[in-house]
Amino acid sequence: MGAKLIIKEDQILDLKRRMAEHKKKPGPLMPSLHDAQSIFGCVPLEVQKIIADELGESIAKINGVVTFYSRFTIEPVGKHTVSVCLGTACYVKGSQTVLDELSNVLGIKPGETTEDGLFTLSACRCIGACGLSPAMTIDGQVTAQATPAIARKALEALIAEEKGNK
Ligand code: FES
């Protein structure tokens, strides 16, 4: 289950205002999606529909673009992003077991965000750190030679830190 996103009326107006500018130039879709991602923190279906209406495009086309580019997300992204590389070099060294372990610790599947909005788990393609495989990142920081035990420890330390912040 993912974190709930509340879309506010003034955010929609902000998006529409920015889109009015983009529509004056060729190729308004990508800048509109970037704006939506930054305003809402993601581009859920509800927002895709607004963009489709504004641009006179089908929602299927907008959805296709959103799901194609990893920089756009359909669900809100958590405060911390935890990502495991499933590129070939990492995969053959067991990165799937690392991802499974993190999934168990967080109780979510890759692509989801914890209900408290703290963690988003994802699988990614090669991040250019094949020499460190299997590689995972927490908030962009690479952990080299990640094992399920190392990954669990790193994540539990962050969870404990978050609890301490409450
Ligand atoms: S395959 Fe994982 S970093 Fe290249």
Side-chain angles (χ1 to χ4, degrees):
M1 207 184 299
K4 287 267 172 297
L5 176 74
I6 295 165
I7 293 176
K8 300 195 195 97
E9 196 57 37
D10 59 338
Q11 291 176 310
I12 294 173
L13 288 177
D14 187 17
L15 177 64
K16 287 186 176 172
R17 215 168 16 238
R18 295 195 206 187
M19 286 188 71
E21 290 305 309
H22 298 321
K23 281 195 276 184
K24 292 179 188 161
K25 300 176 205 143
L29 176 55
M30 291 305 274
S32 300
L33 289 174
H34 275 290
D35 282 347
Q37 180 75 38
S38 86
I39 293 169
F40 302 101
C42 60
V43 194
L45 267 182
E46 199 177 338
V47 173
Q48 290 176 30
K49 186 165 180 337
I50 295 167
I51 294 172
D53 288 347
E54 288 289 312
L55 297 181
E57 298 279 3
S58 72
I59 190 147
K61 175 175 172 182
I62 308 294
N63 188 257
V65 176
V66 170
T67 50
F68 181 78
Y69 291 98
S70 59
R71 72 189 89 142
F72 303 127
T73 57
I74 290 175
E75 283 200 30
V77 177
K79 180 176 172 191
H80 301 288
T81 52
V82 183
S83 187
V84 178
C85 177
L86 292 185
T88 310
C90 291
Y91 189 82
V92 296
K93 289 207 179 161
S95 60
Q96 182 69 55
T97 61
V98 174
L99 183 60
D100 292 345
E101 182 73 355
L102 293 170
S103 184
N104 284 338
V105 175
L106 292 172
I108 53 172
K109 293 200 221 62
E112 292 182 343
T113 298
T114 52
E115 258 187 274
D116 57 10
L118 284 178
F119 296 95
T120 296
L121 180 64
S122 66
C124 61
R125 297 283 160 208
C126 180
I127 55 169
C130 307
L132 309 176
S133 63
M136 62 171 276
T137 61
I138 296 183
D139 296 334
Q141 295 276 56
V142 178
T143 299
Q145 277 102 41
T147 61
I150 288 173
R152 171 181 279 269
K153 209 170 154 201
L155 186 56
E156 284 178 345
L158 194 53
I159 292 170
E161 200 178 295
E162 279 299 336
K163 280 194 182 141
N165 286 340
K166 278 187 183 164

